[in-house]
Coordinates of all heavy atoms in Angstrom, one line a residue:
M1 N -0.6 10.7 -23.6 CA 0.2 10.5 -22.4 C -0.8 10.3 -21.2 O -1.7 11.1 -21.1 CB 1.1 11.8 -22.2 CG 1.8 11.7 -20.9 SD 2.8 13.2 -20.6 CE 4.3 12.7 -21.3
E2 N -0.4 9.4 -20.3 CA -1.3 9.1 -19.1 C -1.0 10.2 -18.1 O 0.1 10.6 -17.9 CB -1.0 7.7 -18.6 CG -1.5 6.6 -19.5 CD -1.3 5.3 -18.9 OE1 -1.7 5.2 -17.7 OE2 -0.9 4.4 -19.5
P3 N -2.0 10.5 -17.2 CA -1.7 11.4 -16.1 C -0.8 10.8 -15.1 O -0.7 9.6 -15.0 CB -3.1 11.7 -15.5 CG -4.0 10.6 -16.1 CD -3.4 10.1 -17.3
A4 N -0.1 11.7 -14.4 CA 0.9 11.2 -13.4 C 0.2 10.6 -12.2 O -1.0 10.9 -11.9 CB 1.7 12.4 -12.9
L5 N 0.9 9.7 -11.5 CA 0.3 9.1 -10.3 C 0.2 10.2 -9.2 O 0.9 11.1 -9.2 CB 1.3 8.0 -9.8 CG 1.3 6.7 -10.6 CD1 2.5 5.9 -10.0 CD2 0.0 6.0 -10.6
P6 N -0.8 10.0 -8.4 CA -1.0 11.0 -7.3 C 0.2 11.0 -6.4 O 0.8 10.0 -6.1 CB -2.3 10.6 -6.6 CG -2.5 9.2 -6.9 CD -1.8 9.0 -8.3
A7 N 0.6 12.2 -5.9 CA 1.7 12.3 -4.9 C 1.3 11.7 -3.6 O 0.1 11.8 -3.2 CB 2.1 13.7 -4.8
P8 N 2.2 11.1 -2.8 CA 1.9 10.6 -1.5 C 1.3 11.8 -0.6 O 1.8 12.9 -0.7 CB 3.2 10.1 -0.9 CG 4.1 9.9 -2.1 CD 3.6 10.9 -3.1
R9 N 0.3 11.5 0.2 CA -0.2 12.5 1.1 C 0.6 12.5 2.4 O 1.2 11.5 2.8 CB -1.6 12.1 1.6 CG -2.5 11.7 0.4 CD -3.3 12.8 -0.1 NE -4.1 12.4 -1.2 CZ -4.9 13.1 -1.8 NH1 -5.1 14.4 -1.4 NH2 -5.7 12.7 -2.8
S10 N 0.8 13.7 2.9 CA 1.6 13.8 4.2 C 0.8 13.2 5.3 O -0.4 13.3 5.4 CB 1.9 15.3 4.5 OG 0.8 16.0 4.5
A11 N 1.5 12.5 6.2 CA 0.8 11.9 7.3 C 0.4 12.9 8.3 O 1.0 13.9 8.5 CB 1.8 10.9 8.0
S12 N -0.7 12.6 9.0 CA -1.2 13.4 10.1 C -1.5 12.6 11.3 O -1.7 11.3 11.1 CB -2.5 14.2 9.6 OG -3.6 13.3 9.6
P13 N -1.7 13.1 12.4 CA -2.0 12.3 13.6 C -3.3 11.5 13.4 O -3.5 10.5 14.1 CB -2.1 13.3 14.8 CG -1.4 14.5 14.3 CD -1.5 14.5 12.8
D14 N -4.2 12.0 12.6 CA -5.5 11.4 12.4 C -5.5 10.4 11.3 O -6.5 9.8 10.9 CB -6.6 12.5 12.0 CG -6.7 13.5 13.2 OD1 -6.6 13.0 14.4 OD2 -6.9 14.7 12.9
G15 N -4.3 10.1 10.7 CA -4.2 9.1 9.6 C -4.1 9.8 8.3 O -4.1 11.0 8.2
P16 N -4.0 9.0 7.2 CA -3.8 9.6 5.9 C -5.0 10.4 5.4 O -6.1 10.1 5.8 CB -3.5 8.4 5.0 CG -4.1 7.3 5.7 CD -4.0 7.6 7.2
A17 N -4.8 11.4 4.6 CA -5.9 12.2 4.1 C -6.7 11.3 3.1 O -6.1 10.5 2.4 CB -5.3 13.4 3.3
P18 N -8.0 11.4 3.2 CA -8.8 10.5 2.3 C -8.6 10.9 0.8 O -8.4 12.1 0.5 CB -10.2 10.8 2.7 CG -10.2 12.1 3.4 CD -8.8 12.2 4.0
R19 N -8.6 9.9 0.0 CA -8.6 10.1 -1.5 C -10.0 9.9 -2.1 O -10.7 9.1 -1.5 CB -7.6 9.2 -2.1 CG -6.2 9.4 -1.8 CD -5.3 8.5 -2.6 NE -4.0 8.5 -2.2 CZ -3.4 7.7 -1.3 NH1 -4.2 6.7 -0.8 NH2 -2.2 7.8 -1.0
R20 N -10.2 10.5 -3.2 CA -11.5 10.2 -3.9 C -11.3 8.8 -4.4 O -10.3 8.4 -4.8 CB -11.6 11.2 -5.1 CG -11.8 12.6 -4.7 CD -12.1 13.5 -5.9 NE -11.6 13.0 -7.2 CZ -10.4 13.5 -7.7 NH1 -9.7 14.4 -7.1 NH2 -10.0 13.0 -8.9
A21 N -12.4 8.0 -4.5 CA -12.4 6.7 -5.0 C -11.9 6.6 -6.4 O -11.1 5.7 -6.7 CB -13.8 6.1 -4.9
D22 N -12.3 7.5 -7.3 CA -11.8 7.5 -8.6 C -10.3 7.7 -8.7 O -9.6 7.2 -9.6 CB -12.6 8.4 -9.5 CG -12.5 9.9 -9.1 OD1 -12.3 10.2 -7.9 OD2 -12.6 10.8 -9.9
E23 N -9.7 8.5 -7.8 CA -8.3 8.8 -7.8 C -7.5 7.5 -7.5 O -6.6 7.2 -8.2 CB -8.0 9.9 -6.8 CG -6.5 10.3 -6.8 CD -6.3 11.3 -5.7 OE1 -6.9 12.4 -5.8 OE2 -5.4 11.0 -4.8
S24 N -8.0 6.8 -6.5 CA -7.3 5.5 -6.1 C -7.4 4.5 -7.2 O -6.4 3.8 -7.5 CB -7.9 5.0 -4.8 OG -7.6 5.9 -3.8
A25 N -8.6 4.3 -7.8 CA -8.7 3.3 -8.8 C -7.9 3.7 -10.0 O -7.3 2.8 -10.6 CB -10.2 3.2 -9.2
L26 N -7.9 4.9 -10.4 CA -7.1 5.4 -11.6 C -5.6 5.1 -11.3 O -4.9 4.6 -12.1 CB -7.3 6.8 -11.9 CG -6.4 7.5 -12.9 CD1 -6.8 6.8 -14.3 CD2 -6.6 9.0 -13.0
A27 N -5.1 5.5 -10.1 CA -3.7 5.3 -9.8 C -3.3 3.8 -9.8 O -2.3 3.5 -10.3 CB -3.4 5.9 -8.4
W28 N -4.2 2.9 -9.3 CA -3.9 1.5 -9.4 C -3.8 1.0 -10.8 O -2.9 0.3 -11.1 CB -4.8 0.7 -8.5 CG -4.6 -0.8 -8.8 CD1 -5.6 -1.6 -9.3 CD2 -3.4 -1.5 -8.7 NE1 -5.0 -2.9 -9.5 CE2 -3.7 -2.8 -9.1 CE3 -2.2 -1.2 -8.3 CZ2 -2.7 -3.8 -9.1 CZ3 -1.2 -2.2 -8.3 CH2 -1.5 -3.5 -8.7
A29 N -4.7 1.4 -11.6 CA -4.7 0.9 -13.0 C -3.4 1.4 -13.7 O -2.8 0.6 -14.4 CB -5.9 1.4 -13.7
Q30 N -3.0 2.6 -13.5 CA -1.8 3.1 -14.1 C -0.6 2.4 -13.5 O 0.3 2.0 -14.3 CB -1.6 4.6 -13.7 CG -2.6 5.5 -14.5 CD -2.4 6.9 -14.0 OE1 -2.9 7.3 -13.0 NE2 -1.6 7.7 -14.7
L31 N -0.5 2.2 -12.2 CA 0.6 1.5 -11.6 C 0.7 0.1 -12.1 O 1.8 -0.4 -12.4 CB 0.5 1.6 -10.1 CG 1.6 1.0 -9.3 CD1 2.9 1.7 -9.6 CD2 1.3 1.1 -7.8
A32 N -0.4 -0.6 -12.2 CA -0.4 -2.0 -12.6 C 0.1 -2.1 -14.1 O 1.0 -2.9 -14.4 CB -1.8 -2.6 -12.6
R33 N -0.4 -1.2 -15.0 CA 0.1 -1.2 -16.4 C 1.6 -0.9 -16.4 O 2.3 -1.5 -17.2 CB -0.7 -0.3 -17.2 CG -2.1 -0.8 -17.5 CD -2.8 0.0 -18.6 NE -3.0 1.4 -18.2 CZ -4.0 1.9 -17.6 NH1 -5.0 1.1 -17.2 NH2 -4.1 3.2 -17.3
A34 N 2.0 0.1 -15.7 CA 3.4 0.5 -15.7 C 4.3 -0.7 -15.2 O 5.5 -0.8 -15.7 CB 3.6 1.7 -14.8
A35 N 3.8 -1.5 -14.3 CA 4.6 -2.7 -13.8 C 4.4 -3.9 -14.7 O 5.0 -5.0 -14.4 CB 4.2 -3.0 -12.4
G36 N 3.7 -3.8 -15.8 CA 3.4 -4.9 -16.7 C 2.4 -5.9 -16.1 O 2.4 -7.1 -16.5
L37 N 1.5 -5.5 -15.2 CA 0.5 -6.3 -14.6 C -0.9 -5.9 -15.2 O -1.1 -4.8 -15.6 CB 0.5 -6.1 -13.1 CG 1.7 -6.4 -12.4 CD1 1.6 -6.0 -10.9 CD2 2.1 -7.9 -12.4
A38 N -1.7 -6.9 -15.2 CA -3.2 -6.6 -15.4 C -3.7 -6.0 -14.1 O -3.3 -6.5 -13.0 CB -3.9 -7.8 -15.8
P39 N -4.6 -5.0 -14.1 CA -5.1 -4.4 -12.9 C -5.7 -5.5 -11.9 O -5.8 -5.2 -10.7 CB -6.1 -3.4 -13.4 CG -5.6 -3.0 -14.7 CD -5.0 -4.3 -15.3
H40 N -6.1 -6.6 -12.4 CA -6.8 -7.6 -11.6 C -5.9 -8.8 -11.2 O -6.4 -9.7 -10.6 CB -8.1 -8.1 -12.2 CG -9.1 -7.0 -12.5 ND1 -9.7 -6.4 -11.5 CD2 -9.5 -6.4 -13.6 CE1 -10.5 -5.4 -12.0 NE2 -10.4 -5.4 -13.3
D41 N -4.6 -8.7 -11.5 CA -3.7 -9.7 -11.1 C -3.5 -9.8 -9.6 O -3.6 -8.8 -8.9 CB -2.3 -9.5 -11.7 CG -2.2 -9.9 -13.1 OD1 -3.1 -10.5 -13.7 OD2 -1.1 -9.5 -13.7
A42 N -3.3 -11.0 -9.0 CA -3.0 -11.1 -7.6 C -1.6 -10.6 -7.3 O -0.7 -10.8 -8.2 CB -3.2 -12.6 -7.2
L43 N -1.4 -10.1 -6.1 CA -0.1 -9.5 -5.8 C 0.4 -9.9 -4.4 O -0.4 -10.1 -3.5 CB -0.3 -7.9 -5.8 CG -0.7 -7.2 -7.0 CD1 -1.0 -5.8 -6.7 CD2 0.3 -7.4 -8.1
V44 N 1.7 -9.9 -4.3 CA 2.3 -10.1 -3.0 C 3.1 -8.8 -2.8 O 3.9 -8.4 -3.6 CB 3.3 -11.3 -2.9 CG1 4.0 -11.3 -1.6 CG2 2.5 -12.6 -3.1
L45 N 2.8 -8.1 -1.7 CA 3.5 -6.8 -1.4 C 4.5 -7.1 -0.3 O 4.1 -7.5 0.8 CB 2.5 -5.7 -1.0 CG 3.1 -4.4 -0.5 CD1 3.9 -3.7 -1.6 CD2 2.1 -3.5 0.1
A46 N 5.8 -6.8 -0.5 CA 6.8 -6.9 0.5 C 6.8 -5.5 1.3 O 7.0 -4.5 0.7 CB 8.2 -7.1 -0.1
L47 N 6.4 -5.6 2.5 CA 6.2 -4.4 3.4 C 7.2 -4.3 4.5 O 7.3 -5.2 5.4 CB 4.8 -4.5 4.0 CG 4.3 -3.3 4.8 CD1 4.2 -2.1 4.0 CD2 3.0 -3.6 5.5
S48 N 8.1 -3.3 4.4 CA 9.1 -3.1 5.4 C 8.7 -2.2 6.5 O 9.3 -2.2 7.6 CB 10.4 -2.5 4.8 OG 10.1 -1.2 4.3
G49 N 7.6 -1.4 6.3 CA 7.2 -0.4 7.3 C 7.8 1.0 6.9 O 7.4 2.0 7.6
G50 N 8.6 1.0 5.9 CA 9.1 2.3 5.4 C 8.0 3.1 4.6 O 7.0 2.5 4.2
A51 N 8.3 4.3 4.3 CA 7.4 5.2 3.6 C 6.9 4.6 2.2 O 5.7 4.7 1.9 CB 7.9 6.6 3.4
D52 N 7.9 4.1 1.4 CA 7.5 3.7 0.1 C 6.6 2.5 0.1 O 5.5 2.5 -0.6 CB 8.8 3.3 -0.7 CG 9.7 4.5 -1.0 OD1 9.2 5.6 -0.9 OD2 10.9 4.2 -1.3
S53 N 6.9 1.5 0.9 CA 6.0 0.3 0.9 C 4.7 0.6 1.6 O 3.7 0.0 1.2 CB 6.7 -0.9 1.5 OG 7.1 -0.7 2.8
C54 N 4.7 1.4 2.6 CA 3.4 1.8 3.2 C 2.5 2.6 2.3 O 1.3 2.4 2.3 CB 3.7 2.6 4.5 SG 4.3 1.6 5.9
Y55 N 3.1 3.5 1.5 CA 2.3 4.2 0.5 C 1.7 3.2 -0.5 O 0.5 3.3 -0.8 CB 3.1 5.3 -0.2 CG 2.3 6.0 -1.3 CD1 1.3 6.8 -1.0 CD2 2.6 5.8 -2.6 CE1 0.5 7.4 -1.9 CE2 1.9 6.4 -3.6 CZ 0.9 7.2 -3.3 OH 0.1 7.8 -4.2
L56 N 2.5 2.3 -0.9 CA 2.0 1.3 -1.9 C 0.8 0.5 -1.2 O -0.2 0.2 -1.9 CB 3.1 0.4 -2.4 CG 2.7 -0.6 -3.5 CD1 2.0 0.1 -4.7 CD2 4.0 -1.3 -4.0
L57 N 1.0 0.1 0.0 CA 0.0 -0.7 0.7 C -1.3 0.2 0.8 O -2.4 -0.4 0.5 CB 0.4 -1.0 2.2 CG -0.7 -1.6 3.1 CD1 -1.1 -2.9 2.6 CD2 -0.2 -1.6 4.5
E58 N -1.2 1.4 1.1 CA -2.4 2.3 1.2 C -3.1 2.4 -0.2 O -4.3 2.3 -0.3 CB -2.1 3.7 1.7 CG -1.5 3.7 3.1 CD -2.6 3.4 4.2 OE1 -3.7 3.7 4.0 OE2 -2.1 2.8 5.2
L59 N -2.3 2.6 -1.2 CA -2.8 2.7 -2.6 C -3.5 1.4 -3.0 O -4.7 1.5 -3.5 CB -1.7 3.0 -3.6 CG -2.1 3.3 -5.0 CD1 -2.8 4.6 -5.1 CD2 -0.8 3.3 -5.9
L60 N -2.9 0.3 -2.7 CA -3.6 -1.0 -3.1 C -4.8 -1.3 -2.3 O -5.8 -1.8 -2.8 CB -2.5 -2.2 -2.9 CG -1.4 -2.1 -3.9 CD1 -0.3 -3.2 -3.5 CD2 -1.8 -2.4 -5.3
A61 N -4.8 -1.0 -1.0 CA -5.9 -1.2 -0.1 C -7.1 -0.3 -0.5 O -8.3 -0.7 -0.4 CB -5.6 -0.9 1.3
E62 N -6.9 0.9 -1.1 CA -7.9 1.8 -1.5 C -8.4 1.5 -2.9 O -9.4 2.1 -3.3 CB -7.5 3.2 -1.4 CG -7.2 3.7 0.0 CD -6.7 5.1 0.1 OE1 -6.6 5.8 -0.9 OE2 -6.4 5.5 1.2
A63 N -7.6 0.8 -3.7 CA -8.0 0.5 -5.1 C -9.3 -0.1 -5.2 O -9.7 -1.0 -4.4 CB -6.9 -0.3 -5.8
R64 N -10.1 0.3 -6.2 CA -11.4 -0.3 -6.5 C -11.4 -0.7 -8.0 O -11.1 0.2 -8.8 CB -12.5 0.7 -6.1 CG -12.6 1.0 -4.7 CD -12.9 -0.3 -3.9 NE -13.0 -0.1 -2.4 CZ -12.0 -0.3 -1.6 NH1 -10.9 -0.8 -2.0 NH2 -12.1 -0.1 -0.3
P65 N -11.7 -1.9 -8.3 CA -11.8 -3.0 -7.4 C -10.4 -3.3 -6.8 O -9.4 -3.2 -7.4 CB -12.3 -4.2 -8.2 CG -11.8 -3.9 -9.6 CD -11.8 -2.4 -9.7
R66 N -10.4 -3.8 -5.5 CA -9.2 -4.0 -4.8 C -8.6 -5.3 -5.4 O -9.2 -6.3 -5.5 CB -9.5 -4.3 -3.3 CG -8.2 -4.5 -2.5 CD -8.5 -4.9 -1.1 NE -8.6 -3.8 -0.2 CZ -8.7 -3.9 1.1 NH1 -8.6 -5.0 1.7 NH2 -8.8 -2.8 1.8
P67 N -7.3 -5.3 -5.7 CA -6.6 -6.5 -6.2 C -6.5 -7.5 -5.1 O -6.5 -7.2 -3.9 CB -5.3 -6.0 -6.7 CG -5.0 -4.7 -6.0 CD -6.4 -4.1 -5.7
R68 N -6.4 -8.8 -5.5 CA -6.1 -9.8 -4.5 C -4.7 -9.6 -4.0 O -3.8 -9.5 -4.8 CB -6.3 -11.2 -5.2 CG -7.7 -11.6 -5.5 CD -7.8 -12.9 -6.2 NE -7.2 -12.8 -7.5 CZ -6.5 -13.8 -8.1 NH1 -6.5 -15.0 -7.5 NH2 -6.0 -13.6 -9.3
L69 N -4.6 -9.4 -2.7 CA -3.4 -8.9 -2.1 C -3.0 -9.7 -0.9 O -3.8 -10.0 0.0 CB -3.6 -7.4 -1.8 CG -2.4 -6.7 -1.1 CD1 -1.2 -6.6 -2.1 CD2 -2.8 -5.3 -0.7
L70 N -1.7 -10.1 -0.9 CA -1.1 -10.7 0.3 C 0.1 -9.8 0.7 O 0.9 -9.5 -0.2 CB -0.6 -12.1 0.1 CG 0.2 -12.8 1.2 CD1 -0.6 -13.0 2.4 CD2 0.8 -14.1 0.7
V71 N 0.2 -9.4 1.9 CA 1.3 -8.6 2.4 C 2.3 -9.5 3.2 O 1.9 -10.2 4.1 CB 0.9 -7.4 3.3 CG1 2.0 -6.7 3.9 CG2 0.0 -6.5 2.4
A72 N 3.5 -9.4 2.8 CA 4.6 -10.2 3.5 C 5.5 -9.1 4.1 O 6.1 -8.3 3.4 CB 5.4 -11.1 2.5
H73 N 5.6 -9.2 5.4 CA 6.5 -8.2 6.1 C 8.0 -8.6 5.9 O 8.3 -9.8 6.1 CB 6.2 -8.1 7.6 CG 7.2 -7.2 8.3 ND1 7.3 -5.9 8.0 CD2 8.2 -7.5 9.2 CE1 8.3 -5.4 8.8 NE2 8.8 -6.3 9.5
V74 N 8.8 -7.7 5.5 CA 10.2 -7.9 5.3 C 10.9 -7.4 6.6 O 11.1 -6.1 6.7 CB 10.7 -7.2 4.0 CG1 12.2 -7.5 3.8 CG2 9.9 -7.7 2.8
A75 N 11.3 -8.2 7.4 CA 12.0 -7.8 8.7 C 13.5 -7.7 8.4 O 14.2 -8.7 8.5 CB 11.7 -8.8 9.8
H76 N 14.0 -6.5 8.1 CA 15.4 -6.3 7.9 C 16.2 -6.4 9.2 O 17.4 -6.8 9.1 CB 15.6 -4.9 7.3 CG 15.0 -4.7 5.9 ND1 15.3 -5.5 4.8 CD2 14.0 -3.9 5.5 CE1 14.6 -5.1 3.8 NE2 13.8 -4.2 4.2
A77 N 15.6 -6.2 10.3 CA 16.3 -6.3 11.6 C 17.6 -5.5 11.7 O 18.5 -5.9 12.3 CB 16.5 -7.8 12.0
L78 N 17.6 -4.4 11.0 CA 18.8 -3.5 11.0 C 18.8 -2.6 12.2 O 19.9 -2.0 12.5 CB 18.9 -2.8 9.7 CG 19.0 -3.6 8.4 CD1 18.9 -2.7 7.2 CD2 20.2 -4.4 8.4
R79 N 17.7 -2.4 12.9 CA 17.6 -1.3 13.9 C 17.2 -1.9 15.3 O 16.6 -1.2 16.0 CB 16.7 -0.2 13.4 CG 17.2 0.5 12.2 CD 16.3 1.7 11.7 NE 15.0 1.6 12.1 CZ 14.0 1.0 11.3 NH1 14.3 0.4 10.2 NH2 12.7 1.1 11.7
G80 N 17.4 -3.1 15.5 CA 17.1 -3.7 16.8 C 15.6 -3.7 17.1 O 14.8 -4.1 16.4
A81 N 15.3 -3.1 18.3 CA 13.9 -3.0 18.8 C 13.0 -2.2 17.8 O 11.8 -2.5 17.7 CB 13.9 -2.4 20.2
E82 N 13.6 -1.2 17.1 CA 12.8 -0.5 16.2 C 12.3 -1.4 15.0 O 11.2 -1.2 14.5 CB 13.6 0.7 15.6 CG 13.8 1.8 16.6 CD 14.6 3.0 16.0 OE1 14.5 3.2 14.7 OE2 15.3 3.7 16.7
S83 N 13.1 -2.4 14.7 CA 12.7 -3.3 13.6 C 11.5 -4.1 14.1 O 10.6 -4.4 13.4 CB 13.8 -4.2 13.3 OG 14.8 -3.5 12.6
E84 N 11.5 -4.5 15.4 CA 10.3 -5.2 16.0 C 9.1 -4.3 16.0 O 8.0 -4.8 15.7 CB 10.7 -5.7 17.4 CG 11.7 -6.7 17.4 CD 12.1 -7.1 18.8 OE1 11.4 -6.8 19.8 OE2 13.2 -7.7 19.0
D85 N 9.3 -3.0 16.2 CA 8.2 -2.1 16.2 C 7.6 -2.0 14.8 O 6.4 -1.9 14.6 CB 8.6 -0.7 16.7 CG 8.9 -0.6 18.1 OD1 8.5 -1.6 18.9 OD2 9.6 0.3 18.6
D86 N 8.5 -2.0 13.8 CA 8.1 -2.0 12.4 C 7.2 -3.2 12.1 O 6.1 -3.0 11.4 CB 9.3 -2.0 11.4 CG 10.1 -0.7 11.4 OD1 9.6 0.3 11.8 OD2 11.2 -0.8 10.9
A87 N 7.6 -4.3 12.5 CA 6.8 -5.6 12.3 C 5.4 -5.4 12.9 O 4.4 -5.8 12.3 CB 7.5 -6.8 12.8
A88 N 5.3 -4.9 14.1 CA 4.1 -4.8 14.8 C 3.2 -3.7 14.1 O 2.0 -3.9 13.9 CB 4.3 -4.4 16.3
F89 N 3.8 -2.6 13.7 CA 3.1 -1.6 12.9 C 2.5 -2.2 11.6 O 1.3 -2.0 11.3 CB 4.0 -0.4 12.6 CG 3.4 0.5 11.5 CD1 2.4 1.4 11.9 CD2 3.8 0.4 10.2 CE1 1.8 2.2 11.0 CE2 3.2 1.2 9.3 CZ 2.2 2.1 9.6
C90 N 3.3 -3.0 10.9 CA 2.8 -3.6 9.6 C 1.6 -4.5 9.9 O 0.6 -4.4 9.1 CB 4.0 -4.3 8.9 SG 5.3 -3.2 8.3
E91 N 1.7 -5.3 10.9 CA 0.7 -6.3 11.2 C -0.6 -5.5 11.5 O -1.7 -5.9 11.1 CB 1.1 -7.3 12.3 CG 0.0 -8.3 12.5 CD 0.5 -9.4 13.5 OE1 1.6 -9.2 14.1 OE2 -0.2 -10.4 13.6
T92 N -0.5 -4.5 12.4 CA -1.6 -3.8 12.8 C -2.3 -3.0 11.7 O -3.5 -3.0 11.5 CB -1.2 -2.8 13.9 OG1 -0.7 -3.5 15.0 CG2 -2.4 -1.9 14.4
R93 N -1.5 -2.4 10.8 CA -2.0 -1.6 9.7 C -2.7 -2.5 8.7 O -3.8 -2.2 8.2 CB -0.9 -0.8 9.0 CG -1.4 0.2 8.0 CD -2.3 1.2 8.7 NE -2.9 2.1 7.7 CZ -4.2 2.4 7.7 NH1 -5.0 2.1 8.8 NH2 -4.7 3.1 6.8
C94 N -2.2 -3.7 8.5 CA -2.9 -4.6 7.5 C -4.2 -5.1 8.1 O -5.2 -5.2 7.4 CB -2.0 -5.8 7.3 SG -0.6 -5.4 6.2
A95 N -4.2 -5.3 9.4 CA -5.5 -5.7 10.1 C -6.5 -4.6 9.9 O -7.7 -4.8 9.6 CB -5.3 -6.1 11.5
E96 N -6.1 -3.3 10.1 CA -7.0 -2.2 10.0 C -7.6 -2.1 8.6 O -8.7 -1.7 8.4 CB -6.3 -0.9 10.4 CG -5.9 -0.8 11.8 CD -5.0 0.4 12.1 OE1 -4.4 1.0 11.2 OE2 -4.8 0.6 13.3
L97 N -6.7 -2.4 7.6 CA -7.1 -2.3 6.2 C -7.8 -3.5 5.7 O -8.3 -3.5 4.6 CB -5.9 -2.0 5.3 CG -5.2 -0.6 5.6 CD1 -3.9 -0.6 4.8 CD2 -6.1 0.5 5.2
G98 N -7.9 -4.6 6.5 CA -8.5 -5.8 6.0 C -7.7 -6.5 4.9 O -8.3 -7.1 4.0
V99 N -6.4 -6.5 5.0 CA -5.5 -7.1 4.0 C -4.8 -8.3 4.7 O -4.3 -8.2 5.8 CB -4.4 -6.0 3.6 CG1 -3.4 -6.6 2.7 CG2 -5.1 -4.8 2.9
A100 N -4.7 -9.4 3.9 CA -4.0 -10.6 4.4 C -2.5 -10.3 4.7 O -1.9 -9.6 3.9 CB -4.1 -11.7 3.4
Y101 N -2.0 -10.8 5.8 CA -0.6 -10.5 6.2 C 0.1 -11.7 6.6 O -0.5 -12.6 7.3 CB -0.7 -9.5 7.4 CG 0.6 -9.2 8.1 CD1 1.4 -8.2 7.6 CD2 1.0 -9.9 9.2 CE1 2.6 -7.9 8.2 CE2 2.2 -9.6 9.8 CZ 3.0 -8.6 9.3 OH 4.2 -8.3 9.9
E102 N 1.3 -11.9 6.2 CA 2.2 -13.0 6.6 C 3.5 -12.5 7.2 O 4.0 -11.6 6.7 CB 2.5 -13.9 5.4 CG 1.3 -14.6 4.8 CD 0.9 -15.8 5.6 OE1 1.8 -16.4 6.2 OE2 -0.3 -16.1 5.6

């Protein structure tokens, strides 16, 4: 039996808690296999700005080796101005992580 994926870290004002490099790499390999992907496959991540897709973005950005990754923001536009804030947050976070963003 494979070990469980690491639990999401709670957010702090200083950003996410750092993970050990081996923890991130292990988690990505497990996640890729569970999704039927090879760990080195190219990926497109649909990023809404919600907790689930942001956690996956962080996991993929920290993975070593990092998979080829393109992030596409999914603008649901369900909350008016807050939706626009989500889009800005997603673009900024991808730039901080050095991840391609569309």
Side-chain angles (χ1 to χ4, degrees):
M1 176 182 267
E2 292 187 42
L5 290 173
R9 311 269 180 176
S10 56
S12 75
D14 300 323
R19 292 187 188 92
R20 296 185 331 262
D22 61 329
E23 180 182 305
S24 295
L26 174 66
W28 168 239
Q30 288 176 278
L31 184 59
R33 285 193 300 273
L37 302 170
H40 299 290
D41 283 350
L43 301 170
V44 175
L45 172 64
L47 183 65
S48 67
D52 294 343
S53 61
C54 285
Y55 176 68
L56 187 52
L57 171 64
E58 297 291 328
L59 185 69
L60 293 170
E62 292 177 7
R64 296 296 178 261
R66 182 188 274 192
R68 290 178 294 149
L69 178 62
L70 171 66
V71 172
H73 175 64
V74 179
H76 296 298
L78 299 175
R79 298 183 332 271
E82 287 182 28
S83 292
E84 293 174 16
D85 292 343
D86 289 343
F89 166 79
C90 291
E91 184 172 11
T92 298
R93 189 65 188 132
C94 286
E96 292 169 349
L97 294 170
V99 174
Y101 175 85
E102 292 285 327

